[in-house]
Amino acid sequence: MPDNTELLGVWKIGDLSFNVVSRTILAGRPFSVGLTAAVEFVRQTDGALLAKKIEAFHRPDPNPPSAKVRGLVESRPVSPTITGTWVIASTTLS
């Protein structure tokens, strides 16, 4: 996370980098490294990811039993099976 009071700049969440600007909605403050976060973003014409909204989830368990991943399916098991290893948004799932 950027080291400024406005939290503007590049945030690294998972394997992705997001640009946070003054119009980005930041919900669930305070933010800190290690929190679980949900990001709504748009891909800009130059390929950069512009965060529209980042929401932090304050959970006592740093390894929640379930989560959601939304993004590009990068690889999956060979059809017709769906059982096996998937990679979605740079996240490996079984």
Side-chain angles (χ1 to χ4, degrees):
M1 292 175 43
D3 188 22
N4 60 62
T5 55
E6 297 84 21
L7 300 175
L8 303 178
V10 177
W11 290 39
K12 178 88 170 176
I13 300 175
D15 292 335
L16 301 174
S17 295
F18 299 93
N19 292 323
V20 172
V21 296
S22 60
R23 66 182 181 272
T24 302
I25 298 167
L26 299 175
R29 291 177 184 245
F31 289 97
S32 63
V33 173
L35 289 178
T36 300
V39 183
E40 293 178 27
F41 66 93
V42 295
R43 185 175 302 275
Q44 298 178 298
T45 56
D46 64 358
L49 305 178
L50 176 63
K52 293 171 60 178
K53 178 180 180 181
I54 299 177
E55 183 174 3
F57 297 95
H58 300 269
R59 297 184 178 148
D61 182 357
N63 298 306
S66 65
K68 291 182 182 180
V69 174
R70 186 175 177 177
L72 177 68
V73 176
E74 297 167 22
S75 68
R76 59 159 285 184
V78 178
S79 292
T81 185
I82 61 169
T83 303
T85 301
W86 291 64
V87 178
I88 301 173
S90 300
T91 303
T92 302
L93 307 161
S94 295

